[in-house]
Amino acid sequence: MGTADVTSGIVDGDHALETATALGRRFAENATLRDANRELPHTQIREFAGSGLGAVTVPRAYGGIDLPTEILVEIFRLLAEADPSIAQIPQSHFTFLELLRSQGTPDQQEFFYGEVRSGALFANAQSERGPHPVDVDTTVLVPSGADFTLSGRKFYSTGALFADWIAVRASVVGDGGTPSRGTPKAVAFVPRDAAGLTVVDDWDGMGQRTTASGTVTLDGVTVPASSIVPYSALFDGPTTYGAQAQILHAAIDVGIATGALREAVVQAGRARPHFEAGVDRAVDDPLLAQLAGEVTITVRAAQALLTVAARSVDSARADLDADTAAAASIDVATAKVAATRAALDAANAVFELGGTRSASGAANLSRYWRDARTHTLHDATRWKLQHIGRWTLDGTSPPRHGVI
């Protein structure tokens, strides 16, 4: 990346939200067509990167404005209301900025925060397909002289096709070593154009169609030690790392819910009234009004819980210990469950309020439900409910790593 500072126009949270609102309006204009034709948002993502929003959490010591989580989640909600695929693409970017904050050396922070302030974007290459357990990374970092060699295959690599740097989670093993659950892990920051790194656009999900969340292959990629950040050590003590990652997913779901409810209102205004209602307009049907009220409460509750959770994360970061980290994880889990329900309910309401005509393929209103259903599969809420319930009943803390 160059040396220009793209963050100069964003001086505080208000400016950041104004920028996100303006981008959201532009991104919403052709979101339906991009989804229908699977047109990847290369132009929109570069516009996002150039706006300075990608650097809003850079610490002040490194030239950033270090906005709180409460502002960050609202940025994501605004973007997801416009286009959930675009909102999901930079989610891991901010997660790895948090990794650098917690585990990066001063030299790594100086370099990578500088890259981000000049408009660089990170993307993830973390998840792998089975049959091994999800907490085992078969992708390996092997010492090779003063450097490391990185080899493996990742999937669900959202944002990799658009990124400047790809953050690859891998097991650190000796030559010929076999990774297991106990193998230490690290994150290698690899330039998108590194020799041996290939990004394959083979994502075929029914929703989030333009995230390009496909495959990253790594064939003997050379990585200097200066680009490797410890990962396992994150969880040696209290942390908000998992809560921060999860709350951005919740913000995306709340954004989907907000956008779907807005569209449902539009469709209700076009619908024909049911003959038994005895009214001239569908919106005057009392049963339709009740449904609209119920969905509105669900969505607004999810919005409120998102704010509560964001403040809890910020509070825990300011005064971090086992209790504050646990409380933040529970608050984020609560927000995530509410966001999942709101996204699915509001996406269904598009059709309930719009009637038969809303099922037209040309209108592509199914994208709200497809995006909601696809994105909410990231983290099963059934386990979040277990942890919330145990916390409520007897104060049992969530898992130490905080990802619930």
Side-chain angles (χ1 to χ4, degrees):
M1 298 297 296
T3 58
D5 186 351
V6 301
T7 66
S8 57
I10 299 180
V11 297
D12 56 27
D14 289 339
H15 284 91
L17 293 177
E18 289 171 5
T19 301
T21 299
L23 286 181
R25 290 196 187 105
R26 290 198 290 277
F27 294 166
E29 290 175 358
N30 295 306
T32 296
L33 287 176
R34 283 195 299 273
D35 174 85
N37 300 322
R38 199 173 179 273
E39 296 174 359
L40 300 182
H42 290 281
T43 300
Q44 290 78 14
I45 294 302
R46 292 330 302 176
E47 186 175 1
F48 170 85
S51 73
L53 287 178
V56 296
T57 63
V58 170
R60 293 183 182 275
Y62 295 93
I65 57 175
D66 201 9
L67 291 183
T69 307
E70 184 176 359
I71 299 295
L72 183 62
V73 298
E74 180 61 8
I75 290 170
F76 270 81
R77 190 198 66 78
L78 288 166
L79 294 176
E81 182 178 353
D83 186 332
S85 287
I86 287 178
Q88 188 178 345
I89 288 167
Q91 186 271 337
S92 61
H93 169 87
F94 289 97
T95 299
F96 289 115
L97 283 175
E98 283 301 298
L99 175 69
L100 285 168
R101 183 195 296 267
S102 174
Q103 300 297 311
T105 66
D107 286 345
Q108 288 173 329
Q109 292 170 340
E110 183 74 36
F111 175 77
F112 285 113
Y113 286 144
E115 286 284 285
V116 170
R117 290 183 62 219
S118 67
L121 289 179
F122 301 150
N124 92 93
Q126 296 189 96
S127 297
E128 299 178 356
R129 283 180 161 170
H132 52 276
V134 70
D135 57 353
V136 174
D137 284 309
T138 61
T139 298
V140 294
L141 272 167
V142 179
S144 178
D147 301 322
F148 288 77
T149 299
L150 178 63
S151 300
R153 186 179 182 87
K154 298 289 188 176
F155 196 64
Y156 305 119
S157 303
T158 301
L161 201 66
F162 311 96
D164 302 287
W165 292 85
I166 299 178
V168 184
R169 192 180 65 203
S171 298
V172 183
V173 300
D175 192 13
T178 301
S180 66
R181 284 177 170 169
T183 304
K185 298 179 183 180
V187 171
F189 286 80
V190 184
R192 170 67 177 80
D193 59 358
L197 186 152
T198 304
V199 180
V200 181
D201 179 23
D202 56 355
W203 170 244
D204 64 351
M206 68 174 181
Q208 301 292 82
R209 297 187 69 228
T210 62
T211 59
S213 301
T215 300
V216 170
T217 58
L218 305 133
D219 185 11
V221 178
T222 298
V223 184
S226 59
S227 292
I228 295 174
V229 178
Y231 180 80
S232 298
L234 266 172
F235 311 112
D236 288 343
T239 179
T240 59
Y241 180 80
Q244 166 113 5
Q246 289 287 300
I247 200 172
L248 298 184
H249 284 302
I252 293 168
D253 292 334
V254 174
I256 295 172
T258 308
L261 179 57
R262 185 190 64 245
E263 184 61 45
V265 171
V266 171
Q267 295 304 312
R270 298 171 179 171
R272 291 190 300 174
H274 185 69
F275 70 93
E276 291 182 274
V279 296
D280 294 329
R281 303 185 309 160
V283 293
D284 294 326
D285 181 340
L287 298 183
L288 204 70
Q290 179 174 339
L291 174 59
E294 289 175 349
V295 176
T296 298
I297 290 170
T298 299
V299 173
R300 292 185 66 176
Q303 292 169 343
L305 287 169
L306 184 68
T307 300
V308 169
R311 291 174 179 170
S312 183
V313 172
D314 287 329
S315 178
R317 284 178 58 184
D319 183 22
L320 187 61
D321 60 27
D323 291 336
T324 60
S329 291
I330 291 295
D331 287 344
V332 170
T334 303
K336 184 65 171 66
V337 172
T340 294
R341 292 173 175 176
L344 294 171
D345 286 355
N348 279 327
V350 172
F351 304 99
E352 289 285 347
L353 297 180
T356 305
R357 66 179 294 165
S358 63
S360 165
N364 195 31
L365 298 177
S366 65
R367 74 182 178 94
Y368 292 101
W369 186 87
R370 289 186 287 103
D371 284 344
R373 183 66 282 182
T374 300
H375 187 258
T376 56
L377 293 174
H378 276 71
D379 306 288
T381 56
R382 59 185 178 272
W383 275 105
K384 297 181 189 301
L385 287 165
Q386 287 288 314
H387 294 303
I388 294 166
R390 289 167 183 162
W391 170 270
T392 299
L393 291 172
D394 58 18
T396 300
S397 292
R400 190 174 185 183
H401 50 67
V403 182
I404 64 173

